[in-house]
Amino acid sequence: MAKVKLTDLMKEKQLLSFELFPPKTDKGMENLPGTIEKLCEFKPEYISCTYGAGGGNVGRNREVCQEIIKAGTVPVTHFTVIKNTKEGIKQQLEQYLAEGVDHMLALRGDIPLGETTTCGDFDYATDLVAFTRKEFGDKFEIAVAGSPEGHIACRSLDADIAVLKMKQDNGADYIMTQLCWDMEQFKVWLDKIRTAGITMPVDVGIMPILDQAATINMALSRNGCVMERELARLISKYWLFPNPFAAKDAEGKPFDMFYEQKVKDFKEAGIEYTIKQIDAYRALGVDGIHLYALNKWQDVSRIIKESGMRTLI
C-alpha cells in the first residue's frame, strides 16, 4: 500500500500541492532543487511532475521525483499510455516503486502530432488504471484527470462522467481536475459526478494567470476551456498589439509602445484573479488546491500568502 495515502489526508483537511515539469535544459535542472525547496516552505502535501509522451523525458521526470523526496514531500508522477506497451508500463512502474515513488496520475496523454492513436497497447486512462491495479494491487495511490467542462474528445459531458465513473470502478483513488475558470459549470459538474455515484475526492488544478499568451494557449490548445467574462476582460484590457503571440519584432523589440507596463499590469490583475478563484474553490469545499507552479516559486509564493492558504509560521 502507498506509504502516505493522500485520500486519508483529504478527510482531515484541504490539501495544497504543486505541479512541476521536467526542465528541458541542464540549467533548468540546476535551478529546480532551489525552486522545490522554496515551494516546500509551504508544507505542500505533495508535488506532481509531468511526463513526456512515451516517457520521452522519463529520466528527467524520475530525477525531479527524487528531488521532491529529498525536499521532504510526496512525489506524484504523471504517467501516460502514449507509445507505451504493457511490458514497458510494468517495467517503468516497478522502477518508480523501487525509487520510492508510489503515487501516480494515470492519463491517456496527448496524441502525438500527426498520429491518430496512442501508438501503444492502451487507448484510454481507464485501461491504465485497471492494468496498474491488476499488476500492482494497492502499491500505488492513483489519481485520474477530471474535466469539469467535459474532455474535448468526448461526445458529451455525460459520456465523460460515465468514463470518470469507470476510472473509479477500475480502482482510481481521487480526481485531479483540468483547468476550469467557469465556476457555475464546475458546480454543475460536481453535482453531476456525485449523482453518478462518483465518490472520489476532488483536487482542483489551477494555473496562475501571469502571462496573456500562456493563458490563451493553455485554454485553447488542449482543453477547450471557456474563458469566463472577467478573464476575457482582463486580457482585452491589457491586450498586447498586434497580439500576445507575436508582440515583438525579429530583433525582440515590442510593437506595442505600452508593452512593459501592460505586461506588469496584466500580471498584477492576473494574480488577483487567481486568488479570487482559489477563494471560490475553497468555499465550495473541494478536497485540495493543485497549483501549476510553472517551475517558478516567486509568484506562486505570493499567491499562497495573499490567499491565506498557508502562512509561514
Side-chain angles (χ1 to χ4, degrees):
M1 185 189 265
K3 289 186 286 292
V4 177
K5 285 277 289 192
L6 296 171
T7 44
D8 286 345
L9 294 177
M10 285 171 185
K11 288 171 192 156
E12 297 163 21
K13 60 178 173 180
Q14 214 166 37
L15 306 194
L16 168 65
S17 57
F18 304 109
E19 176 187 287
L20 298 172
F21 56 85
K24 289 188 171 67
T25 64
D26 292 339
K27 179 100 181 78
M29 275 311 281
E30 281 166 34
N31 293 338
L32 199 63
T35 299
I36 293 172
E37 209 174 292
K38 287 286 185 189
L39 294 174
C40 280
E41 287 179 7
F42 294 101
K43 306 264 186 293
E45 276 71 36
Y46 73 88
I47 296 177
S48 76
C49 180
T50 64
Y51 169 105
N57 59 3
V58 73
R60 282 252 156 108
N61 165 289
R62 284 171 41 221
E63 273 182 64
V64 175
C65 286
Q66 290 313 301
E67 291 295 343
I68 293 166
I69 290 172
K70 271 188 221 160
T73 193
V74 174
V76 176
T77 182
H78 290 211
F79 198 93
T80 77
V81 301
I82 303 293
K83 295 182 180 173
N84 257 332
T85 61
K86 287 182 190 176
E87 201 40 53
I89 290 169
K90 194 175 171 201
Q91 282 172 4
Q92 285 180 66
L93 291 180
E94 278 168 354
Q95 190 162 27
Y96 277 114
L97 282 178
E99 292 172 358
V101 179
D102 53 9
H103 292 75
M104 66 187 280
L105 169 61
L107 300 161
R108 183 199 70 181
D110 299 318
I111 300 288
L113 211 57
E115 300 290 347
T116 53
T117 69
T118 60
C119 306
D121 283 351
F122 295 134
D123 293 326
Y124 303 108
T126 43
D127 305 327
L128 177 59
V129 174
F131 178 77
T132 305
R133 281 285 172 248
K134 180 172 150 286
E135 294 294 330
F136 295 94
D138 63 356
K139 286 180 182 165
F140 281 95
E141 187 169 31
I142 303 175
V144 287
S147 304
E149 295 169 273
H151 193 284
I152 53 167
C154 239
R155 61 188 168 271
S156 67
L157 184 63
D158 288 342
D160 199 39
I161 289 170
V163 171
L164 191 55
K165 175 68 164 72
M166 202 181 197
K167 290 177 184 176
Q168 177 174 288
D169 295 346
N170 286 356
D173 293 297
Y174 66 102
I175 300 164
M176 275 195 215
T177 68
Q178 296 280 16
L179 279 186
C180 180
W181 290 301
D182 183 343
M183 290 311 293
E184 293 314 306
Q185 174 58 28
F186 184 86
K187 290 172 195 168
V188 166
W189 175 78
L190 204 52
D191 283 347
K192 280 178 92 84
I193 68 167
R194 296 308 183 217
T195 303
I198 297 166
T199 56
M200 291 187 282
V202 173
D203 204 352
V204 174
I206 291 180
M207 184 180 91
I209 306 293
L210 305 169
D211 173 272
Q212 285 180 32
T215 303
I216 299 165
N217 187 40
M218 197 72 170
L220 303 179
S221 70
R222 292 274 189 263
N223 303 309
C225 279
V226 169
M227 220 173 262
E228 63 90 43
R229 178 74 174 86
E230 179 54 22
L231 183 52
R233 192 186 70 78
L234 289 182
I235 292 172
S236 295
K237 186 177 177 184
Y238 301 109
W239 186 258
L240 300 168
F241 287 97
N243 70 69
F245 295 98
K248 293 180 177 179
D249 64 18
E251 274 80 57
K253 187 173 178 291
F255 294 112
D256 193 319
M257 63 190 290
F258 303 111
Y259 179 89
E260 301 297 340
Q261 193 59 45
K262 282 181 175 179
V263 167
K264 192 165 159 280
D265 291 347
F266 178 77
K267 190 177 181 178
E268 279 302 306
I271 286 174
E272 193 181 324
Y273 179 91
T274 305
I275 290 166
K276 283 181 179 162
Q277 194 193 10
I278 289 168
D279 290 343
Y281 276 123
R282 290 173 75 200
L284 278 181
V286 297
D287 299 284
I289 298 291
H290 187 56
L291 270 173
Y292 307 158
L294 313 169
N295 288 21
K296 300 181 173 85
W297 61 269
Q298 286 98 330
D299 296 322
V300 175
S301 297
R302 184 179 154 194
I303 287 165
I304 294 164
K305 283 174 187 161
E306 290 183 20
S307 69
M309 266 193 293
R310 293 278 160 100
T311 45
L312 296 179
I313 298 166

